[in-house]
Amino acid sequence: MRYFRVKKDKASGYTGDIDATHRWKIPGVIGCPACQTTWGDNSRAYPSVDLTPIATLADFEKARAEPIEEYERLSELVRPFLPPGARLQPGAAFGPLVGKAQGRFGSFTVHSPWWPLVQRDALDKLKNEGLQDLKGCPTQLRFRQRASPEFFELELLPVGRSHPDCLPPDRKPPCPRCGRFGLRLPDELLLDAATLPVHLNLFRLEDFSVLVCTERFAEACQRLELDGVTFHPLQAR
């Protein structure tokens, strides 16, 4: 099986612009006592998650950083609502993508740059090709035009890791308290074949904010002439 990195096609000529964020967020961390780092990363988003049953919903409406004890408390409130295989991290986002959009879009667009959106007809075509593992979640985007597309956000689970051979030999393990990995994306990313899923055609790596697809997904998009993204081969070892 071959794998590809999925990126927004910046040379496509589409003029589409999106100003949006997810409805709910979990706070980042202020000064983790284990690694002394203040950080948050919203690249992990779970748009299918509905947090409305939580009584203290206001705690998830504003992006901010909190002491790690508060982050851990709020994490326990969120955890029962997560889909199987989801992983939390400081700054993670939940619920539909809400905001404004305008312009011309392709079949796909990648927002911010790790939230992949797909138009309804493109998603239907891919599922008809047998890619039933794709999970599209409705967005709440307001368009400033009459002929507006209907976008779904693809919910991607963090699965698979980079191979140790492409990482610094003196790297430190992730923080045992907050989970921060703290490494820059390698110039030549190499996938660890033993960690890659056999049941998903599109996923997000565990250790880096990289969208990865299978050869099957890339070929289906090209055969169906779905545009808006590009595919870059990745080596696996």
Side-chain angles (χ1 to χ4, degrees):
M1 175 68 72
R2 292 196 300 158
Y3 294 89
F4 298 83
R5 183 177 180 183
V6 183
K7 293 184 178 181
K8 182 177 182 178
D9 185 359
K10 296 181 179 180
S12 65
Y14 288 112
T15 60
D17 179 69
I18 296 175
D19 181 13
T21 187
H22 292 90
R23 185 173 296 281
W24 301 294
K25 304 95 180 166
I26 202 165
V29 168
I30 298 175
C32 170
C35 65
Q36 289 75 52
T37 303
T38 295
W39 74 288
D41 183 351
N42 65 0
S43 63
R44 283 188 186 172
Y46 302 106
S48 71
V49 171
D50 181 6
L51 297 185
T52 53
I54 297 178
T56 56
L57 194 59
D59 289 339
F60 302 93
E61 293 177 349
K62 183 179 179 181
R64 65 195 188 283
E66 296 278 5
I68 195 165
E69 293 80 8
E70 178 67 357
Y71 163 73
E72 291 171 340
R73 182 185 75 83
L74 296 176
S75 293
E76 292 310 307
L77 295 179
V78 169
R79 208 172 298 280
F81 302 97
L82 297 179
R87 295 171 181 248
L88 285 177
Q89 69 178 22
F94 316 96
L97 196 62
V98 180
K100 300 179 292 185
Q102 62 179 340
R104 293 175 52 252
F105 292 90
S107 305
F108 289 92
T109 188
V110 182
H111 180 51
S112 285
W114 35 68
W115 302 334
L117 308 182
V118 59
Q119 295 200 41
R120 174 188 282 277
D121 62 338
L123 180 59
D124 290 343
K125 289 177 181 178
L126 287 169
K127 288 192 172 184
N128 288 336
E129 289 286 312
L131 300 176
Q132 296 296 324
D133 58 289
L134 299 179
K135 184 177 180 179
C137 302
T139 61
Q140 295 181 8
L141 298 175
R142 302 185 307 276
F143 285 84
R144 302 174 181 175
Q145 59 211 47
R146 289 185 178 179
S148 58
E150 184 180 6
F151 269 122
F152 287 77
E153 181 176 1
L154 294 173
E155 184 168 77
L156 304 186
L157 295 176
V159 188
R161 295 190 296 274
S162 55
H163 195 281
D165 288 354
C166 72
L167 303 176
D170 59 347
R171 65 188 179 280
K172 296 180 180 180
C175 174
R177 184 78 183 269
C178 70
R180 184 174 183 270
F181 190 46
L183 288 182
R184 185 177 65 86
L185 180 67
D187 293 332
E188 297 293 333
L189 179 63
L190 180 65
L191 301 180
D192 186 343
T195 68
L196 299 178
V198 297
H199 61 295
L200 296 175
N201 285 287
L202 184 65
F203 54 94
R204 188 191 320 273
L205 292 184
E206 292 180 28
D207 45 6
F208 292 107
S209 299
V210 172
L211 309 183
V212 177
C213 75
T214 62
E215 180 179 13
R216 185 184 181 198
F217 179 89
E219 288 182 346
C221 289
Q222 292 165 354
R223 185 169 58 253
L224 295 169
E225 298 183 343
L226 305 181
D227 56 5
V229 291
T230 55
F231 302 100
H232 306 265
L234 292 170
Q235 296 297 316
R237 181 179 303 171

